[in-house]
Amino acid sequence: MQKLDKRWKIILYGCSGLGVNMLNMIVGSYLCSALLIGGFDKHVENWTYLNRDLVVAGIWATLILVVKVLDGFIDIPLSNFTDNLRTRWGRRRPAIVMGFIPMVLGYLLFLVPINNGATLGNTLWFAAMLGLFYCAYTLTMLTYYATFAEIIENDRDRVLLSNTKSICDVVYYSLSFALVPVFVSMGVNIRAVALIFLPLALTMVIPLFLIKEKSTRPGDGFVPEKAVRVNVFRSFILSFKNRDFIVWLGILAVMNIGLQLFLSGINEFFSTTGLDMTFIMASAFAPIPFTLMLYNYFVRKKGMKFAYQYALLIFSVGMLMMFACPHLPEKLMLPYAMLCGVITSFGIGSFFSVIYIIPSQLAADENARSGICASSMYFAVQGIFEAVAAGFASGPLLVFLKQHGLIQYTTGVVALMCMTAFVLAFFMPRSIATIGKEKK
């Protein structure tokens, strides 16, 4: 694959997934909830499709769980599919198209009930469209992430690409949490809101122009000599044989428990204070493009290990400071909470960034060492660990804190998990610890 040789191309490539990630956020955070009217107090007619239940609640809850579990495991065969695709146009561009078209189709069909009642037919229909959307979304994004190991020349450019992607993650999080409620409060139905954001998905067309691949069909004469085709089982085992990757997965899982508990439990933490979460979350996310500059400086001067530990430490400090927020005088509470949010922003952006940098770098090293291309498999396996950690944080852990009246300790638990990851990061292998460090 031809490498990106211009800084502007790398930045543009990093923006490619913004629109598709936004669609996924809308489906998971808004459209699935819009099928049932329960839980909405205001603007119910706009937060829901038809101001009535359209699915059988019990069956729908079960089917969502089934679809999400299948979505987690479908990563493995789909990653092997895109790594080993043989076409005259290469591997990655055809795989992106194969995922993108049915993803958009599933997104649109999810907006259309087959009848106007809470019927079994509607329930099965929405579950099927949700499954179609998630599978196609997974193929699209896995293929895109896999190219991070192939389209970038060196680890410094890979850091730039990953940081650009993390900033785009902040953008779509902000768009989702800020603009969607505004549209709904203005009287725009959630289905119309979903269509308003649909054109953003065209950002995924960018890789179709920037990816330059030769044919991967046997007999065309363009297959690189080192390219080794492996089956899904060998590819899966290969990623687990990489000791450096396993060490990283352990660190990531612990950190992700803390991060996901922060994202899913911070609203409950502040629920008894009367504070407006919009200002607090804005203070945590808005500065990220600027706080990443300091993080990038540490990466260049000290390497990934030092920069990552710095992010974990400062995020933990912000969480421990936030722990005192509910005990302050009312007039000081909001400015103090916003200050804590700004402090945590120095860590949040880097947490988004490292999940792209490290697996793509390890996959690139593996490809150079053995000739085996399994870059998307690294992201697939990492995704499983992230999903399990996120499920534990937002499920059993958060529910335990809520049921036992310990929700005020949420930020303390977050800090504990991040400091545990800080300690584990001392065991980072050199192949990860020195990523991005300038050579003297």
Side-chain angles (χ1 to χ4, degrees), residues 153-212:
E153 184 67 38
N154 54 64
D155 57 351
R156 286 188 61 190
D157 287 345
R158 195 166 288 113
V159 169
L160 172 61
L161 175 61
S162 300
N163 286 340
T164 303
K165 180 65 177 70
S166 67
I167 291 174
C168 289
D169 289 347
V170 174
V171 170
Y172 82 77
Y173 266 96
S174 302
L175 288 175
S176 175
F177 291 132
L179 289 186
V180 173
V182 169
F183 278 122
V184 171
S185 64
M186 292 171 58
V188 182
N189 186 268
I190 189 63
R191 289 197 286 176
V193 175
L195 292 175
I196 289 172
F197 287 104
L198 179 58
L200 282 176
L202 292 175
T203 56
M204 190 46 69
V205 175
I206 295 172
L208 302 183
F209 290 96
L210 292 182
I211 294 175
K212 306 296 183 182

Side-chain angles (χ1 to χ4, degrees), residues 262 266-267 269-271 273-287 319 322 325 333-345 348:
F262 164 72
I266 197 66
N267 191 46
F269 177 79
F270 283 107
S271 62
T273 65
L275 295 180
D276 189 337
M277 285 300 300
T278 301
F279 293 104
I280 300 172
M281 297 308 286
S283 65
F285 283 97
M319 288 290 100
M322 199 173 287
C325 188
M333 200 177 297
L334 180 58
Y336 180 81
M338 293 179 65
L339 171 63
C340 294
V342 171
I343 293 173
T344 60
S345 71
I348 295 174

Side-chain angles (χ1 to χ4, degrees), residues 337-374:
M338 293 179 65
L339 171 63
C340 294
V342 171
I343 293 173
T344 60
S345 71
F346 283 84
I348 295 174
S350 63
F351 295 161
F352 286 133
S353 180
V354 293
I355 63 174
Y356 305 119
I357 298 173
I358 293 177
S360 59
Q361 183 63 47
L362 292 177
D365 294 342
E366 179 65 45
N367 192 15
R369 181 172 57 252
S370 66
I372 296 176
C373 179

Side-chain angles (χ1 to χ4, degrees), residues 26 31 49 106-113 125-126 129 190-192 194-195 198:
I26 290 175
L31 296 184
Y49 281 18
Y107 184 81
L108 290 172
L109 291 177
F110 196 83
L111 300 176
V112 184
W125 166 259
F126 284 118
M129 293 306 101
I190 189 63
R191 289 197 286 176
L195 292 175
L198 179 58

Side-chain angles (χ1 to χ4, degrees), residues 121-327:
N122 260 348
T123 307
L124 295 175
W125 166 259
F126 284 118
M129 293 306 101
L130 186 64
L132 172 63
F133 174 83
Y134 278 147
C135 289
Y137 167 83
T138 298
L139 177 59
T140 303
M141 295 308 293
L142 267 180
T143 304
Y144 169 60
Y145 293 147
T147 62
F148 283 27
E150 303 163 355
I151 203 168
I152 299 300
E153 184 67 38
N154 54 64
D155 57 351
R156 286 188 61 190
D157 287 345
R158 195 166 288 113
V159 169
L160 172 61
L161 175 61
S162 300
N163 286 340
T164 303
K165 180 65 177 70
S166 67
I167 291 174
C168 289
D169 289 347
V170 174
V171 170
Y172 82 77
Y173 266 96
S174 302
L175 288 175
S176 175
F177 291 132
L179 289 186
V180 173
V182 169
F183 278 122
V184 171
S185 64
M186 292 171 58
V188 182
N189 186 268
I190 189 63
R191 289 197 286 176
V193 175
L195 292 175
I196 289 172
F197 287 104
L198 179 58
L200 282 176
L202 292 175
T203 56
M204 190 46 69
V205 175
I206 295 172
L208 302 183
F209 290 96
L210 292 182
I211 294 175
K212 306 296 183 182
E213 285 185 293
K214 296 179 179 179
S215 171
T216 53
R217 288 193 310 186
D220 282 354
F222 298 115
V223 181
E225 292 182 2
K226 279 191 171 185
V228 179
R229 187 173 184 178
V230 296
N231 59 37
V232 61
F233 179 75
R234 185 182 174 192
S235 181
F236 182 75
I237 295 300
L238 180 69
S239 62
F240 274 96
K241 282 186 175 181
N242 189 324
R243 179 183 174 276
D244 294 355
F245 185 50
I246 296 302
V247 173
W248 161 243
L249 290 178
I251 300 171
L252 172 68
V254 175
M255 180 274 290
N256 205 43
I257 291 174
L259 179 61
Q260 293 302 322
L261 182 61
F262 164 72
L263 294 173
S264 60
I266 197 66
N267 191 46
E268 284 90 340
F269 177 79
F270 283 107
S271 62
T272 59
T273 65
L275 295 180
D276 189 337
M277 285 300 300
T278 301
F279 293 104
I280 300 172
M281 297 308 286
S283 65
F285 283 97
I288 287 177
F290 306 101
T291 60
L292 275 175
M293 294 179 183
L294 180 59
Y295 168 75
N296 291 335
Y297 174 81
F298 287 143
V299 171
R300 291 195 306 271
K301 297 300 181 181
K302 299 291 186 177
M304 182 61 63
K305 176 182 173 181
F306 180 91
Y308 185 56
Q309 286 186 306
Y310 140 80
L312 288 167
L313 182 62
I314 198 166
F315 184 77
S316 299
V317 169
M319 288 290 100
L320 289 175
M321 289 177 60
M322 199 173 287
F323 177 74
C325 188
H327 307 288

